[in-house]
Amino acid sequence: MDNYKILIIEDEKPIADILKYGFVKEGFEVFCAYTGMDGMDALNENHPDIVLLDWMLPDVDGVTVCKHITKKCNIPIVMLTAKGTIEDKLLGLESGADDYITKPFDLREVIARVKTIIRRFEKVNQEKAESENTIIEVNDMRISEIERTVKIKEGSIVLTPKEFDLLVFLVKHNREVFTRQVLLEQIWGYDFAGDTRTVDIHVQRLRKKLPLEEHLQTVFGVGYKYVS
């Protein structure tokens, strides 16, 4: 994949070197940073297409860096860490990560998953660029798909990328019931290895941030639906 830039934020230099070697062979332009602060500086300087981010960094933890990147840029992030519990995975994904790979890893798998995420991300961006700036006005919300913003009477509401995607998907499929597994496949991708509780957590966060009241409904034993 020529001309793609990847930023690797990893404090263990031998691991960073292995990753750099693999991605350079695949045609990527690779930038490495060994602390969270250096990683954020490298983000501003190099404008990568994707970030491979270690959780355990010596200064700022990966979750904090992930949140910073998510607020600043619309680029995919892959968390790379030895933390392998479901709770840790959910925390990483809630912070804005698009995928989660545990150590020790197979370099071929990391490269394959990064390529898959880039292709999926490009497809979504291309579809957005080819479409009009769709504005959805429903239940006191004004949703702009191109700007990826949500406004209510009180002002703009900040959503994570996955919260926004989940909201738009449900709103566009008014009254249609979706299982948690289908929502995982639609929003997180067919190859996402997470738990269905990821969906529950994102629904809870949407309910806290937005005046959804009776609109975002739980269908017990099945999943969720949006009723405008």
Side-chain angles (χ1 to χ4, degrees), residues 137-142 151-154 211 215 226:
E137 294 188 352
V138 61
N139 302 124
D140 296 324
M141 295 186 298
R142 191 173 191 273
K151 295 181 180 179
I152 59 176
K153 293 179 180 178
E154 290 77 10
H215 302 297
Y226 189 91

Side-chain angles (χ1 to χ4, degrees), residues 79-98:
M79 295 288 285
L80 187 65
T81 177
K83 292 176 175 285
T85 68
I86 286 296
E87 288 72 21
D88 290 326
K89 290 182 179 180
L90 292 176
L91 178 58
L93 294 166
E94 286 175 37
S95 69
D98 295 87

Side-chain angles (χ1 to χ4, degrees), residues 6 26 42 45 57 59 124 131 136 138 152 197 207 224:
I6 183 170
E26 293 296 320
E45 293 173 5
L57 295 169
D59 54 350
V124 170
S131 66
I136 304 171
V138 61
I152 59 176
R197 284 182 294 172
R207 285 171 172 163
Y224 297 99

Side-chain angles (χ1 to χ4, degrees), residues 85-206:
T85 68
I86 286 296
E87 288 72 21
D88 290 326
K89 290 182 179 180
L90 292 176
L91 178 58
L93 294 166
E94 286 175 37
S95 69
D98 295 87
D99 202 354
Y100 194 109
I101 301 175
T102 55
K103 299 177 182 178
F105 55 81
D106 186 308
L107 180 59
R108 293 168 300 178
E109 179 188 0
V110 176
I111 292 171
R113 287 167 76 167
V114 164
K115 286 182 176 180
T116 298
I117 290 170
I118 289 177
R119 283 194 295 266
R120 186 191 311 142
F121 195 78
E122 283 191 331
K123 181 180 178 182
V124 170
N125 284 340
Q126 183 178 358
E127 289 172 352
K128 289 175 184 173
E130 291 173 352
S131 66
E132 299 179 38
N133 184 5
T134 304
I135 301 294
I136 304 171
E137 294 188 352
V138 61
N139 302 124
D140 296 324
M141 295 186 298
R142 191 173 191 273
I143 304 169
S144 170
E145 289 191 75
I146 295 298
E147 296 177 354
R148 294 183 68 82
T149 58
V150 179
K151 295 181 180 179
I152 59 176
K153 293 179 180 178
E154 290 77 10
S156 297
I157 302 297
V158 177
L159 300 181
T160 67
K162 289 297 182 284
E163 288 170 357
F164 182 87
D165 292 342
L166 180 60
L167 175 66
V168 170
F169 181 81
L170 289 171
V171 167
K172 281 188 168 182
H173 296 83
N174 185 42
R175 297 184 178 274
E176 191 171 347
V177 179
F178 294 96
T179 66
R180 292 167 176 83
Q181 188 60 46
V182 169
L183 291 172
L184 272 180
E185 293 168 359
Q186 291 293 326
I187 307 304
W188 281 265
Y190 70 92
D191 56 349
F192 177 67
D195 189 278
T196 53
R197 284 182 294 172
T198 301
V199 176
D200 297 329
I201 290 173
H202 280 72
V203 168
Q204 291 170 15
R205 291 163 71 95
L206 284 174

